Amino acid sequence: MAVQDAIIGWKTITHGCHVLEPGSTKNFRTGDWRSMRPVTDKEKCIKCGLCYIFCPDMCYCQTEEGYFEADMDYCKGCGICANECPKDAITMVPEEEE
């Protein structure tokens, strides 16, 4: 079998590898995986943006007031934002059940 024959296109990937179309990751709400969520204390926050910079999922967005808030549709609750915050303004709390 030639190498070209071993490479499968995205349209022929088997179930378990759900790529519906290229560039479709924004359609999947990965925040459902989360068990902890970040909560920001705005009185401690200095708006440095390190939470935004270090977030591996790029789920932080800046508000009009200059604060950074995590988009819970995509936040997986890893806690890197809280770990990197120089003012301990971000606390990880258990995900509330709805």
Side-chain angles (χ1 to χ4, degrees):
M1 174 186 301
V3 173
Q4 294 88 347
D5 295 333
I7 297 174
I8 301 172
W10 68 270
K11 290 184 178 182
T12 56
I13 293 176
T14 59
H15 291 283
C17 301
H18 297 280
V19 178
L20 302 177
E21 60 186 62
S24 65
T25 56
K26 283 195 169 208
N27 298 333
F28 299 100
R29 305 289 190 253
T30 55
D32 291 343
W33 307 349
R34 182 180 59 251
S35 62
M36 300 287 282
R37 64 182 174 84
V39 175
T40 302
D41 180 344
K42 291 183 179 179
E43 292 194 17
K44 290 182 180 179
C45 179
I46 59 171
K47 304 175 185 178
C48 66
L50 289 177
C51 52
Y52 169 80
I53 292 168
F54 282 98
C55 178
D57 296 310
M58 296 299 295
C59 72
Y60 272 87
C61 298
Q62 193 169 23
T63 67
E64 289 182 13
E65 298 86 30
Y67 295 103
F68 291 85
E69 293 181 355
D71 183 339
M72 292 298 124
D73 283 341
Y74 301 103
C75 173
K76 294 185 188 91
C78 68
I80 292 173
C81 55
N83 188 58
E84 296 300 327
C85 181
K87 296 295 182 178
D88 294 323
I90 303 172
T91 306
M92 298 302 291
V93 299
E95 184 66 38
E96 300 169 355
E97 295 195 19
E98 296 183 41

Coordinates of all heavy atoms in Angstrom, one line a residue:
M1 N 0.8 -1.2 0.0 CA 0.0 0.0 0.0 C 0.9 1.2 0.0 O 1.8 1.4 0.8 CB -0.9 0.0 1.2 CG -1.7 1.3 1.4 SD -2.7 1.4 2.9 CE -3.7 0.0 2.9
A2 N 0.6 2.2 -0.9 CA 1.4 3.4 -1.0 C 1.0 4.3 0.1 O -0.1 4.3 0.7 CB 1.2 4.0 -2.3
V3 N 1.8 5.3 0.5 CA 1.5 6.2 1.6 C 0.3 7.0 1.2 O -0.6 7.3 2.0 CB 2.7 7.2 1.8 CG1 2.4 8.3 2.7 CG2 3.9 6.4 2.3
Q4 N 0.1 7.4 -0.1 CA -1.0 8.2 -0.5 C -2.3 7.4 -0.2 O -3.4 8.0 0.1 CB -1.0 8.5 -2.0 CG 0.1 9.4 -2.4 CD 1.4 8.7 -2.7 OE1 1.6 7.5 -2.4 NE2 2.4 9.4 -3.2
D5 N -2.3 6.1 -0.3 CA -3.5 5.2 -0.1 C -3.8 5.2 1.4 O -5.0 4.9 1.8 CB -3.2 3.8 -0.6 CG -3.1 3.8 -2.1 OD1 -3.6 4.7 -2.8 OD2 -2.4 2.9 -2.6
A6 N -2.8 5.4 2.3 CA -3.1 5.3 3.7 C -3.6 6.6 4.3 O -4.2 6.5 5.4 CB -1.8 4.9 4.4
I7 N -3.5 7.7 3.6 CA -4.0 8.9 4.1 C -5.5 9.1 3.7 O -5.9 9.0 2.6 CB -3.2 10.1 3.5 CG1 -1.8 10.0 4.0 CG2 -3.8 11.4 4.0 CD1 -0.8 11.1 3.4
I8 N -6.3 9.2 4.8 CA -7.8 9.3 4.6 C -8.2 10.8 4.6 O -7.7 11.5 5.4 CB -8.5 8.6 5.7 CG1 -8.0 7.1 5.7 CG2 -10.0 8.7 5.6 CD1 -8.5 6.3 6.9
G9 N -9.0 11.1 3.7 CA -9.6 12.5 3.6 C -10.6 12.7 4.7 O -11.1 11.7 5.3
W10 N -10.9 13.9 5.1 CA -11.8 14.2 6.2 C -13.2 13.7 5.9 O -14.0 13.4 6.8 CB -11.8 15.7 6.5 CG -12.4 16.6 5.4 CD1 -11.8 17.2 4.4 CD2 -13.8 17.0 5.3 NE1 -12.6 17.9 3.7 CE2 -13.9 17.8 4.2 CE3 -14.9 16.7 6.0 CZ2 -15.0 18.4 3.8 CZ3 -16.1 17.3 5.6 CH2 -16.2 18.2 4.5
K11 N -13.6 13.5 4.6 CA -14.9 13.0 4.3 C -15.1 11.5 4.5 O -16.2 11.0 4.6 CB -15.3 13.4 2.9 CG -15.6 14.8 2.7 CD -16.0 15.1 1.3 CE -16.3 16.6 1.1 NZ -16.8 16.9 -0.2
T12 N -14.0 10.8 4.7 CA -14.0 9.3 4.8 C -13.6 8.8 6.1 O -13.4 7.6 6.3 CB -13.2 8.7 3.7 OG1 -11.8 9.2 3.7 CG2 -13.8 8.9 2.3
I13 N -13.4 9.7 7.1 CA -13.0 9.3 8.4 C -14.1 8.5 9.1 O -15.3 8.9 9.0 CB -12.6 10.5 9.3 CG1 -11.3 11.2 8.8 CG2 -12.4 10.1 10.8 CD1 -11.0 12.4 9.5
T14 N -13.8 7.4 9.8 CA -14.8 6.6 10.4 C -15.4 7.2 11.6 O -14.8 8.2 12.2 CB -14.2 5.2 10.7 OG1 -13.1 5.4 11.7 CG2 -13.7 4.5 9.5
H15 N -16.5 6.7 12.1 CA -17.1 7.2 13.3 C -16.1 7.1 14.5 O -15.3 6.2 14.6 CB -18.4 6.4 13.6 CG -19.5 6.6 12.6 ND1 -20.2 7.7 12.6 CD2 -19.9 5.8 11.6 CE1 -21.1 7.6 11.7 NE2 -20.9 6.5 11.0
G16 N -16.3 8.1 15.4 CA -15.3 8.2 16.5 C -14.4 9.4 16.2 O -13.7 9.9 17.1
C17 N -14.3 9.8 15.0 CA -13.5 10.9 14.5 C -14.4 11.9 13.9 O -14.4 12.0 12.7 CB -12.4 10.5 13.6 SG -11.2 9.3 14.3
H18 N -15.2 12.5 14.6 CA -16.3 13.3 14.1 C -15.9 14.7 13.6 O -16.0 15.7 14.2 CB -17.4 13.5 15.1 CG -18.1 12.3 15.5 ND1 -19.0 11.7 14.8 CD2 -17.9 11.5 16.6 CE1 -19.4 10.6 15.3 NE2 -18.7 10.4 16.4
V19 N -15.3 14.7 12.4 CA -15.0 15.9 11.7 C -16.0 16.1 10.6 O -16.0 15.4 9.6 CB -13.6 15.9 11.1 CG1 -13.3 17.2 10.3 CG2 -12.5 15.6 12.1
L20 N -17.0 17.0 10.9 CA -18.1 17.1 10.0 C -17.7 18.0 8.8 O -18.2 17.8 7.7 CB -19.3 17.7 10.7 CG -19.8 16.9 11.9 CD1 -20.9 17.6 12.6 CD2 -20.2 15.5 11.5
E21 N -16.8 19.0 9.0 CA -16.3 19.8 8.0 C -15.1 20.5 8.5 O -15.0 20.8 9.7 CB -17.4 20.8 7.5 CG -17.9 21.7 8.6 CD -19.0 22.6 8.1 OE1 -20.1 22.0 7.7 OE2 -18.8 23.8 8.1
P22 N -14.2 20.9 7.7 CA -13.0 21.6 8.1 C -13.4 22.9 8.8 O -14.3 23.6 8.4 CB -12.2 21.9 6.9 CG -12.7 20.9 5.9 CD -14.1 20.6 6.2
G23 N -12.7 23.3 9.9 CA -12.9 24.6 10.5 C -14.2 24.6 11.4 O -14.8 25.6 11.6
S24 N -14.7 23.4 11.8 CA -16.0 23.4 12.5 C -15.9 23.3 14.0 O -16.9 23.2 14.7 CB -16.8 22.2 12.0 OG -16.2 21.0 12.4
T25 N -14.7 23.5 14.6 CA -14.6 23.4 16.0 C -15.4 24.4 16.8 O -15.8 24.1 17.9 CB -13.1 23.5 16.4 OG1 -12.6 24.7 16.0 CG2 -12.3 22.3 15.9
K26 N -15.7 25.5 16.3 CA -16.5 26.5 17.0 C -17.9 26.0 17.2 O -18.6 26.5 18.0 CB -16.5 27.9 16.3 CG -15.2 28.6 16.5 CD -15.4 30.1 16.2 CE -14.2 30.8 16.6 NZ -14.5 32.2 16.9
N27 N -18.3 25.0 16.5 CA -19.7 24.4 16.6 C -19.8 23.5 17.8 O -20.9 23.1 18.2 CB -20.0 23.7 15.3 CG -20.1 24.6 14.1 OD1 -20.3 25.8 14.2 ND2 -19.8 24.0 13.0
F28 N -18.7 23.1 18.4 CA -18.7 22.2 19.5 C -18.5 22.9 20.8 O -17.4 23.4 21.1 CB -17.7 21.0 19.2 CG -18.0 20.3 18.0 CD1 -17.3 20.6 16.8 CD2 -19.0 19.3 18.0 CE1 -17.6 19.9 15.7 CE2 -19.3 18.7 16.8 CZ -18.6 18.9 15.6
R29 N -19.4 22.8 21.7 CA -19.4 23.4 23.0 C -18.6 22.5 24.0 O -19.2 21.6 24.6 CB -20.8 23.7 23.6 CG -21.6 24.5 22.7 CD -21.1 26.0 22.6 NE -22.1 26.8 21.9 CZ -21.9 27.3 20.7 NH1 -20.8 27.0 20.0 NH2 -22.8 28.1 20.1
T30 N -17.3 22.7 24.1 CA -16.5 21.8 24.9 C -16.5 22.1 26.4 O -16.0 21.4 27.2 CB -15.0 21.9 24.4 OG1 -14.6 23.3 24.5 CG2 -14.8 21.3 23.0
G31 N -17.2 23.2 26.8 CA -17.4 23.5 28.2 C -18.2 22.5 28.9 O -18.2 22.5 30.2
D32 N -18.9 21.7 28.3 CA -19.7 20.6 28.9 C -18.8 19.6 29.7 O -19.2 18.9 30.5 CB -20.6 19.9 27.9 CG -21.7 20.7 27.4 OD1 -22.0 21.8 28.0 OD2 -22.3 20.3 26.4
W33 N -17.5 19.6 29.4 CA -16.6 18.7 30.0 C -16.2 19.2 31.4 O -15.6 18.4 32.2 CB -15.3 18.6 29.2 CG -15.5 18.2 27.7 CD1 -16.6 17.8 27.1 CD2 -14.5 18.2 26.7 NE1 -16.4 17.6 25.8 CE2 -15.1 17.8 25.5 CE3 -13.2 18.5 26.7 CZ2 -14.4 17.7 24.3 CZ3 -12.5 18.5 25.5 CH2 -13.1 18.0 24.3
R34 N -16.4 20.4 31.7 CA -15.9 21.1 32.9 C -16.6 20.6 34.2 O -17.7 20.4 34.2 CB -16.2 22.6 32.7 CG -15.7 23.5 33.7 CD -16.1 25.0 33.4 NE -17.5 25.2 33.2 CZ -18.1 25.4 32.1 NH1 -17.4 25.5 31.0 NH2 -19.4 25.6 32.0
S35 N -15.7 20.5 35.2 CA -16.2 20.2 36.6 C -16.0 21.4 37.5 O -16.6 21.5 38.5 CB -15.7 18.9 37.1 OG -14.3 19.1 37.3
M36 N -15.0 22.2 37.1 CA -14.7 23.5 37.9 C -14.8 24.6 36.9 O -14.5 24.4 35.7 CB -13.3 23.4 38.5 CG -13.1 22.2 39.4 SD -13.9 22.4 41.0 CE -12.8 23.6 41.8
R37 N -15.1 25.8 37.4 CA -15.2 27.0 36.5 C -14.5 28.2 37.2 O -14.4 28.3 38.4 CB -16.6 27.3 36.2 CG -17.4 27.8 37.4 CD -18.9 28.0 36.9 NE -19.7 28.3 38.1 CZ -19.8 29.5 38.7 NH1 -19.1 30.5 38.2 NH2 -20.5 29.7 39.8
P38 N -13.9 29.1 36.4 CA -13.2 30.2 36.9 C -14.2 31.3 37.3 O -15.1 31.6 36.6 CB -12.3 30.6 35.8 CG -13.0 30.2 34.6 CD -13.7 29.0 34.9
V39 N -13.9 31.9 38.5 CA -14.7 33.1 38.9 C -13.7 34.2 39.2 O -12.7 34.0 39.9 CB -15.6 32.8 40.2 CG1 -16.2 34.0 40.7 CG2 -16.6 31.7 39.9
T40 N -13.9 35.4 38.6 CA -13.0 36.5 38.8 C -13.5 37.5 39.8 O -14.6 37.9 39.7 CB -12.7 37.2 37.4 OG1 -12.3 36.2 36.5 CG2 -11.8 38.3 37.6
D41 N -12.6 37.9 40.7 CA -12.9 38.9 41.7 C -12.5 40.2 41.1 O -11.3 40.5 41.0 CB -12.2 38.6 43.0 CG -12.5 39.7 44.1 OD1 -13.0 40.8 43.8 OD2 -12.2 39.4 45.3
K42 N -13.4 41.0 40.6 CA -13.1 42.2 39.9 C -12.4 43.3 40.8 O -11.7 44.2 40.3 CB -14.3 42.8 39.2 CG -14.8 42.0 38.1 CD -16.0 42.6 37.4 CE -16.4 41.7 36.2 NZ -17.6 42.2 35.5
E43 N -12.5 43.2 42.1 CA -11.8 44.1 43.0 C -10.3 43.8 43.0 O -9.5 44.7 43.3 CB -12.4 44.1 44.4 CG -13.8 44.7 44.3 CD -14.3 45.0 45.7 OE1 -13.5 45.1 46.7 OE2 -15.6 45.2 45.8
K44 N -9.9 42.5 42.8 CA -8.5 42.1 42.8 C -7.9 42.2 41.4 O -6.7 42.4 41.3 CB -8.4 40.7 43.3 CG -8.6 40.5 44.8 CD -8.4 39.0 45.1 CE -8.6 38.7 46.5 NZ -8.3 37.3 46.8
C45 N -8.7 42.1 40.4 CA -8.3 42.0 39.0 C -7.6 43.3 38.6 O -8.2 44.4 38.8 CB -9.4 41.7 38.1 SG -9.0 41.6 36.3
I46 N -6.4 43.3 37.9 CA -5.7 44.4 37.4 C -5.8 44.5 35.9 O -5.1 45.3 35.3 CB -4.3 44.5 37.9 CG1 -3.5 43.2 37.4 CG2 -4.2 44.6 39.4 CD1 -2.0 43.3 37.6
K47 N -6.6 43.7 35.3 CA -6.9 43.7 33.9 C -5.6 43.5 33.0 O -5.4 44.0 32.0 CB -7.6 45.0 33.4 CG -8.9 45.3 34.2 CD -9.4 46.6 33.8 CE -10.6 47.0 34.6 NZ -11.1 48.3 34.3
C48 N -4.7 42.6 33.6 CA -3.4 42.4 32.9 C -3.6 41.5 31.7 O -2.7 41.5 30.8 CB -2.4 41.8 33.9 SG -2.9 40.1 34.5
G49 N -4.6 40.6 31.6 CA -4.8 39.8 30.5 C -4.0 38.5 30.5 O -4.0 37.8 29.5
L50 N -3.3 38.2 31.6 CA -2.6 36.9 31.6 C -3.5 35.7 31.5 O -3.1 34.7 30.9 CB -1.7 36.8 32.8 CG -0.5 37.8 32.8 CD1 0.3 37.7 34.1 CD2 0.4 37.5 31.6
C51 N -4.7 35.8 32.0 CA -5.7 34.7 31.9 C -6.0 34.5 30.4 O -6.0 33.3 30.0 CB -6.9 35.0 32.7 SG -7.7 36.6 32.3
Y52 N -6.1 35.5 29.7 CA -6.3 35.4 28.2 C -5.1 34.8 27.5 O -5.3 33.9 26.7 CB -6.6 36.8 27.7 CG -6.6 36.9 26.2 CD1 -7.8 36.5 25.4 CD2 -5.5 37.4 25.5 CE1 -7.8 36.6 24.1 CE2 -5.6 37.5 24.1 CZ -6.7 37.1 23.4 OH -6.7 37.2 22.0
I53 N -4.0 35.3 27.9 CA -2.7 34.8 27.2 C -2.5 33.3 27.5 O -2.1 32.6 26.5 CB -1.5 35.7 27.6 CG1 -1.7 37.1 27.1 CG2 -0.2 35.0 27.2 CD1 -0.7 38.1 27.7
F54 N -2.7 32.9 28.7 CA -2.3 31.5 29.1 C -3.4 30.5 28.8 O -3.2 29.3 28.9 CB -1.8 31.4 30.5 CG -0.4 31.9 30.7 CD1 -0.2 33.2 31.1 CD2 0.6 31.1 30.4 CE1 1.1 33.7 31.3 CE2 1.9 31.6 30.5 CZ 2.2 32.9 31.0
C55 N -4.6 30.9 28.6 CA -5.7 30.0 28.4 C -5.5 29.1 27.2 O -5.4 29.6 26.0 CB -7.1 30.7 28.2 SG -8.5 29.6 27.9
P56 N -5.4 27.8 27.3 CA -5.1 26.9 26.2 C -6.2 26.8 25.2 O -6.1 26.3 24.1 CB -4.8 25.5 26.9 CG -5.5 25.6 28.2 CD -5.5 27.0 28.6
D57 N -7.4 27.2 25.7 CA -8.6 27.1 24.8 C -9.0 28.4 24.2 O -10.0 28.5 23.4 CB -9.8 26.5 25.6 CG -9.5 25.1 26.0 OD1 -9.1 24.3 25.2 OD2 -9.6 24.8 27.2
M58 N -8.3 29.5 24.5 CA -8.6 30.8 24.0 C -10.0 31.2 24.3 O -10.7 31.7 23.4 CB -8.2 30.9 22.5 CG -6.7 30.8 22.2 SD -5.7 32.0 23.0 CE -6.2 33.5 22.2
C59 N -10.5 30.8 25.5 CA -12.0 31.1 25.7 C -12.2 32.4 26.4 O -13.3 32.8 26.7 CB -12.6 29.9 26.6 SG -12.0 29.9 28.3
Y60 N -11.1 33.2 26.7 CA -11.3 34.5 27.4 C -11.6 35.6 26.3 O -10.9 35.6 25.3 CB -10.1 34.8 28.2 CG -10.2 34.3 29.6 CD1 -9.7 33.0 29.9 CD2 -10.7 35.1 30.6 CE1 -9.8 32.5 31.2 CE2 -10.8 34.6 31.9 CZ -10.4 33.3 32.2 OH -10.5 32.8 33.5
C61 N -12.5 36.5 26.7 CA -12.8 37.7 25.9 C -12.7 38.9 26.8 O -13.1 38.8 28.0 CB -14.2 37.5 25.2 SG -14.3 36.2 24.1
Q62 N -12.3 40.0 26.2 CA -12.2 41.2 27.0 C -13.6 42.0 26.9 O -14.2 42.1 25.9 CB -11.1 42.1 26.5 CG -10.8 43.3 27.4 CD -9.5 44.0 27.0 OE1 -9.1 44.0 25.9 NE2 -8.9 44.6 28.0
T63 N -14.1 42.4 28.1 CA -15.3 43.1 28.2 C -15.1 44.6 27.9 O -13.9 45.1 27.8 CB -16.0 43.0 29.6 OG1 -15.1 43.7 30.5 CG2 -16.1 41.6 30.0
E64 N -16.1 45.4 27.7 CA -16.0 46.8 27.5 C -15.3 47.5 28.7 O -14.7 48.5 28.5 CB -17.4 47.4 27.3 CG -18.0 47.0 26.0 CD -19.4 47.7 25.7 OE1 -19.7 48.7 26.4 OE2 -20.0 47.3 24.8
E65 N -15.4 47.0 29.9 CA -14.8 47.6 31.1 C -13.3 47.2 31.1 O -12.6 47.7 32.0 CB -15.5 47.1 32.3 CG -17.0 47.5 32.5 CD -17.9 46.5 31.8 OE1 -17.6 45.3 31.7 OE2 -18.9 47.0 31.3
G66 N -12.9 46.3 30.3 CA -11.4 45.9 30.3 C -11.1 44.6 31.0 O -10.0 44.2 31.0
Y67 N -12.1 44.0 31.7 CA -11.9 42.8 32.3 C -11.9 41.6 31.3 O -12.5 41.8 30.2 CB -13.0 42.5 33.4 CG -13.0 43.5 34.5 CD1 -13.9 44.6 34.6 CD2 -12.1 43.4 35.5 CE1 -13.9 45.5 35.6 CE2 -12.1 44.3 36.6 CZ -13.0 45.3 36.6 OH -13.0 46.2 37.6
F68 N -11.4 40.5 31.7 CA -11.4 39.3 30.8 C -12.3 38.3 31.5 O -12.2 38.0 32.6 CB -10.0 38.8 30.7 CG -9.1 39.6 29.9 CD1 -8.4 40.7 30.4 CD2 -9.0 39.5 28.5 CE1 -7.6 41.5 29.7 CE2 -8.2 40.3 27.7 CZ -7.5 41.3 28.3
E69 N -13.3 37.8 30.7 CA -14.2 36.8 31.1 C -14.1 35.6 30.3 O -14.0 35.6 29.1 CB -15.6 37.4 31.1 CG -15.9 38.5 32.0 CD -17.3 39.0 32.0 OE1 -18.1 38.6 31.1 OE2 -17.6 39.9 32.8
A70 N -14.2 34.4 31.0 CA -14.2 33.1 30.3 C -15.5 32.8 29.6 O -16.6 33.0 30.3 CB -13.8 32.0 31.2
D71 N -15.5 32.4 28.4 CA -16.7 31.9 27.7 C -17.0 30.5 28.2 O -16.2 29.6 27.8 CB -16.5 32.0 26.2 CG -17.8 31.6 25.4 OD1 -18.7 30.9 26.0 OD2 -17.9 32.0 24.3
M72 N -18.0 30.3 29.0 CA -18.3 29.0 29.6 C -18.7 27.9 28.5 O -18.8 26.8 28.8 CB -19.4 29.1 30.6 CG -18.9 29.8 31.9 SD -17.5 29.0 32.7 CE -16.4 30.3 32.7
D73 N -19.0 28.4 27.3 CA -19.3 27.4 26.2 C -18.0 26.6 25.9 O -18.1 25.5 25.4 CB -19.8 28.0 25.0 CG -21.3 28.4 25.1 OD1 -22.0 27.9 26.0 OD2 -21.7 29.3 24.3
Y74 N -16.8 27.2 26.1 CA -15.6 26.6 25.7 C -14.6 26.3 26.8 O -13.7 25.6 26.6 CB -14.9 27.5 24.6 CG -15.8 27.7 23.4 CD1 -16.5 28.8 23.2 CD2 -16.0 26.6 22.5 CE1 -17.4 29.0 22.1 CE2 -16.9 26.7 21.4 CZ -17.5 27.9 21.2 OH -18.4 28.1 20.2
C75 N -14.8 27.0 28.0 CA -13.9 26.8 29.1 C -14.0 25.3 29.6 O -15.1 24.8 29.9 CB -14.2 27.7 30.2 SG -13.3 27.4 31.7
K76 N -12.9 24.6 29.7 CA -12.9 23.2 30.2 C -12.5 23.1 31.7 O -12.5 22.1 32.2 CB -11.9 22.4 29.4 CG -12.3 22.3 27.9 CD -11.4 21.3 27.2 CE -11.7 21.4 25.7 NZ -10.9 22.4 25.0
G77 N -12.3 24.3 32.3 CA -12.0 24.3 33.7 C -10.7 23.8 34.2 O -10.5 23.3 35.3
C78 N -9.7 24.0 33.4 CA -8.3 23.5 33.6 C -7.7 24.2 34.8 O -6.8 23.6 35.5 CB -7.5 23.5 32.4 SG -7.0 25.2 31.9
G79 N -8.0 25.5 35.0 CA -7.4 26.2 36.1 C -6.1 26.9 35.8 O -5.5 27.5 36.7
I80 N -5.7 26.9 34.6 CA -4.4 27.5 34.3 C -4.6 29.0 34.5 O -3.6 29.7 35.0 CB -4.0 27.2 32.8 CG1 -3.6 25.7 32.8 CG2 -2.8 28.1 32.4 CD1 -3.2 25.2 31.4
C81 N -5.7 29.6 34.1 CA -5.9 31.0 34.3 C -5.8 31.4 35.8 O -5.1 32.4 36.1 CB -7.3 31.4 33.8 SG -8.7 30.5 34.6
A82 N -6.3 30.7 36.7 CA -6.2 30.9 38.1 C -4.8 30.8 38.6 O -4.3 31.6 39.4 CB -7.1 30.0 38.9
N83 N -4.1 29.8 38.1 CA -2.7 29.6 38.5 C -1.8 30.7 38.0 O -0.8 31.1 38.7 CB -2.2 28.2 37.9 CG -0.9 27.9 38.4 OD1 -0.6 27.7 39.6 ND2 0.1 27.7 37.5
E84 N -2.1 31.3 36.8 CA -1.2 32.3 36.3 C -1.6 33.7 36.7 O -0.8 34.7 36.6 CB -1.2 32.3 34.8 CG -0.7 31.0 34.2 CD 0.8 30.8 34.5 OE1 1.5 31.8 34.7 OE2 1.2 29.6 34.7
C85 N -2.7 33.9 37.4 CA -3.2 35.3 37.8 C -2.2 35.8 38.9 O -2.1 35.2 40.0 CB -4.6 35.2 38.3 SG -5.2 36.8 38.8
P86 N -1.5 36.9 38.6 CA -0.6 37.4 39.6 C -1.2 38.0 40.8 O -0.6 38.2 41.9 CB 0.2 38.5 38.8 CG -0.8 39.0 37.8 CD -1.6 37.8 37.4
K87 N -2.5 38.3 40.8 CA -3.2 38.9 42.0 C -4.2 37.9 42.6 O -5.0 38.4 43.5 CB -4.0 40.2 41.5 CG -3.1 41.3 41.0 CD -2.2 41.8 42.2 CE -1.3 42.9 41.7 NZ -0.5 43.4 42.8
D88 N -4.2 36.7 42.2 CA -5.1 35.7 42.8 C -6.5 36.1 42.7 O -7.4 35.9 43.6 CB -4.8 35.3 44.2 CG -3.4 34.6 44.3 OD1 -3.1 33.8 43.4 OD2 -2.7 34.9 45.3
A89 N -6.9 36.8 41.6 CA -8.2 37.3 41.3 C -9.1 36.2 40.8 O -10.4 36.4 40.8 CB -8.2 38.5 40.4
I90 N -8.6 35.1 40.3 CA -9.4 34.1 39.7 C -9.4 32.9 40.7 O -8.4 32.4 41.1 CB -8.9 33.6 38.3 CG1 -8.9 34.9 37.4 CG2 -9.7 32.5 37.8 CD1 -8.2 34.6 36.1
T91 N -10.6 32.4 41.0 CA -10.8 31.2 41.9 C -11.5 30.2 41.1 O -12.5 30.5 40.4 CB -11.6 31.6 43.1 OG1 -11.0 32.7 43.8 CG2 -11.7 30.4 44.1
M92 N -11.1 28.9 41.2 CA -11.8 27.8 40.6 C -12.8 27.3 41.6 O -12.5 27.0 42.7 CB -10.8 26.7 40.2 CG -9.8 27.2 39.1 SD -10.5 27.8 37.6 CE -11.2 26.4 36.9
V93 N -14.1 27.3 41.1 CA -15.2 26.8 42.0 C -15.9 25.6 41.3 O -15.8 25.5 40.1 CB -16.2 27.9 42.3 CG1 -15.5 29.1 43.0 CG2 -16.9 28.4 41.1
P94 N -16.5 24.7 42.1 CA -17.2 23.6 41.5 C -18.3 24.1 40.5 O -19.0 25.1 40.8 CB -17.8 22.8 42.7 CG -16.9 23.2 43.8 CD -16.5 24.7 43.6
E95 N -18.4 23.4 39.5 CA -19.5 23.7 38.5 C -20.8 23.5 39.1 O -21.1 22.4 39.8 CB -19.3 22.8 37.3 CG -20.3 23.1 36.2 CD -20.1 24.5 35.5 OE1 -18.9 24.9 35.4 OE2 -21.1 25.1 35.2
E96 N -21.7 24.5 39.0 CA -23.0 24.3 39.6 C -23.9 23.4 38.7 O -23.9 23.5 37.5 CB -23.7 25.7 39.7 CG -22.9 26.7 40.6 CD -23.4 28.1 40.4 OE1 -24.3 28.4 39.6 OE2 -22.9 28.9 41.2
E97 N -24.7 22.6 39.4 CA -25.6 21.8 38.6 C -26.8 22.5 38.3 O -27.3 23.3 39.1 CB -25.9 20.5 39.4 CG -24.7 19.6 39.6 CD -25.0 18.3 40.1 OE1 -26.2 17.8 39.9 OE2 -24.1 17.6 40.6
E98 N -27.3 22.3 37.1 CA -28.5 23.1 36.7 C -29.8 22.2 36.8 O -29.8 21.1 36.7 CB -28.4 23.6 35.3 CG -27.2 24.6 35.2 CD -27.1 25.2 33.8 OE1 -28.1 25.4 33.2 OE2 -25.9 25.3 33.4

